[in-house]
Amino acid sequence: MKRRIGIFLLYFLLFAALAGLAASAGAWYWATQRAVPMGAERVDYLVEPGSSPYGVARAMNEAGIAVDQRAFVALARLTKLDRQLKAGAYEAKTGDTPWQLLERMAQGDMTLTRLTLVEGWTYQQIRAALRASPDVKQTLDGVSDQELMQRLGSEQTRPEGLFYPDTYVFTPGTSDFDILRRAYHAQMQQLDKLWAERDPDLPLSSPYEALILASIVEKETGHSSDRARVAGVFVNRLRIKMPLQTDPTVIYGMGEAYEGRIRKRDLQTDTPWNTYTRGGLPPTPISSSGLASLHAALNPEEHKYLYFVSRGDGTSEFSETLLAHNRAVSKYILGRR
């Protein structure tokens, strides 16, 4: 009897060992060899900050990555990677195994996206681009301009012109405020650097005034080689206290009333940004300024020009006198009409 019990226990232990080996082999195969079924060749998903392995597995399932949630949690805990999972945006590809997905998140191998803020855009256009991006987390709805400036630590109360136009690379789920903060610091960094290297004789009293002038140059210049010369025209006017008389500032002051053309009455309607009715620089920038326009505003070309008019091909005709300017207007503007 005892011999039979011993044989039974031996066979039981042998069976248990074999079953354990089979289970281990099955688990190894599932984790490292078997591709996770997916609804597409590439599937993007987001791991929220503080997510548990179970929450991560659930997020993958909701995105269309059919990973076994219990098995995934067990794999994460057995490999001790459960506390190394990093929040962010990830991409699962056809053929990925559970182990590859887990390892990618533990290493923080995230996917990235990008958003371009275009030179010459107004702040409203920048905000519209942020709202339109499905990868940007919206947090600024209902936040006033003044509150935004306070959160950025800015002395200014208006956001116009304070964000550097560039292509920003970020992980999906990044907030609109975080992108604006990056753009704000980039603009301040460029402005501080160029202000320190500026022409010392400029009729500008602060970096902010340089930013205002740069925004006008940005909107007035269709040809890169004309930037420094256009900036020189405005600097010459500022020196002799001649009105800047630049249409883009009038358009900015008109706001939503602008319908694609400026009439005589628009030039005569006073707003803080109407440089036909008011002398000096307007109170704020009128758009975002790229590096080239910032450099031109702080290092303008030295000349005697006081006027310029578009030739219609992106370049401008410059004149020193009103008589010569009127001739250029007759040739390039009235002639086209």
Side-chain angles (χ1 to χ4, degrees):
M1 183 67 179
K2 292 182 179 179
R3 182 180 178 186
R4 288 182 180 180
I5 294 175
I7 293 174
F8 175 78
L9 289 174
L10 179 62
Y11 277 112
F12 177 79
L13 292 173
L14 181 60
F15 176 79
L18 291 173
L21 287 173
S24 297
W28 174 84
Y29 178 82
W30 172 84
T32 65
Q33 302 297 313
R34 185 178 179 181
V36 177
M38 297 194 304
E41 290 187 3
R42 294 176 181 271
V43 177
D44 294 319
Y45 65 99
L46 190 66
V47 175
E48 297 288 351
S51 295
S52 66
Y54 183 82
V56 171
R58 183 174 55 193
M60 287 193 289
N61 272 272
E62 291 174 351
I65 307 166
V67 66
D68 185 295
Q69 295 186 29
R70 291 183 179 179
F72 181 83
V73 171
L75 178 64
R77 290 175 176 169
L78 287 171
T79 58
K80 298 183 179 181
L81 294 181
D82 54 326
R83 296 184 180 181
Q84 298 182 36
L85 303 182
K86 297 175 176 61
Y90 295 91
E91 180 186 65
K93 305 182 291 292
T94 298
D96 279 345
T97 65
W99 171 251
Q100 288 174 319
L101 293 173
L102 180 63
E103 189 177 39
R104 193 174 297 148
M105 289 181 282
Q107 293 175 348
D109 185 11
M110 305 174 195
T111 57
L112 298 175
T113 188
R114 61 186 60 204
L115 178 69
T116 298
L117 307 184
V118 179
E119 295 173 351
W121 271 5
T122 63
Y123 173 65
Q124 291 303 321
Q125 289 174 303
I126 291 174
R127 285 297 307 276
L130 290 170
R131 291 190 191 99
S133 173
D135 299 315
V136 176
K137 183 178 181 181
Q138 306 301 316
T139 65
L140 293 177
D141 291 342
V143 176
S144 68
D145 291 349
Q146 187 173 2
E147 183 181 349
L148 173 63
M149 291 297 95
Q150 290 174 348
R151 289 176 61 181
L152 289 171
S154 174
E155 298 177 353
Q156 306 302 325
T157 58
R158 294 177 180 267
E160 193 66 76
L162 298 180
F163 304 102
Y164 186 64
D166 200 357
T167 296
Y168 293 89
V169 178
F170 58 96
T171 57
T174 298
S175 73
D176 44 9
F177 176 74
D178 285 337
I179 295 173
L180 286 179
R181 179 169 53 190
R182 288 175 59 188
Y184 171 77
H185 287 300
Q187 187 73 298
M188 294 304 102
Q189 183 178 14
Q190 295 288 1
L191 183 58
D192 289 345
K193 179 178 181 296
L194 292 174
W195 178 257
E197 300 170 353
R198 72 188 184 282
D199 180 339
D201 296 325
L202 290 178
L204 301 173
S205 62
S206 69
Y208 190 66
E209 286 193 352
L211 197 60
I212 295 172
L213 178 57
S215 74
I216 297 174
V217 172
E218 188 71 62
K219 299 297 284 187
E220 277 282 20
T221 312
H223 202 270
S224 58
S225 62
D226 284 348
R227 281 195 179 95
R229 185 165 294 182
V230 167
V233 170
F234 291 127
V235 166
N236 288 344
R237 289 190 171 201
L238 288 171
R239 282 179 173 145
I240 64 174
K241 301 187 183 306
M242 177 180 175
L244 296 185
Q245 295 183 326
T246 169
D247 291 356
T249 62
V250 177
I251 293 171
Y252 184 84
M254 292 173 65
E256 295 181 359
Y258 178 66
E259 297 179 345
R261 57 179 294 190
I262 300 179
R263 299 172 177 83
K264 184 177 180 180
R265 65 172 180 268
D266 297 323
L267 300 179
Q268 296 172 341
T269 301
D270 183 54
T271 73
W273 291 271
N274 190 334
T275 52
Y276 285 82
T277 60
R278 300 194 182 195
L281 292 166
T284 71
I286 59 172
S287 71
S288 58
S289 305
L291 182 60
S293 293
L294 284 169
H295 187 273
L298 287 164
N299 296 276
E301 181 180 307
E302 293 186 11
H303 53 62
K304 297 181 180 180
Y305 297 128
L306 289 173
Y307 307 91
F308 65 94
V309 63
S310 171
R311 295 191 181 106
D313 61 357
T315 64
S316 298
E317 181 77 13
F318 295 83
S319 305
E320 293 183 11
T321 66
L322 182 58
L323 179 61
H325 175 63
N326 287 337
R327 288 173 179 167
V329 170
S330 179
K331 177 178 179 180
Y332 293 108
I333 304 297
L334 301 181
R336 289 203 302 269
R337 292 178 181 174

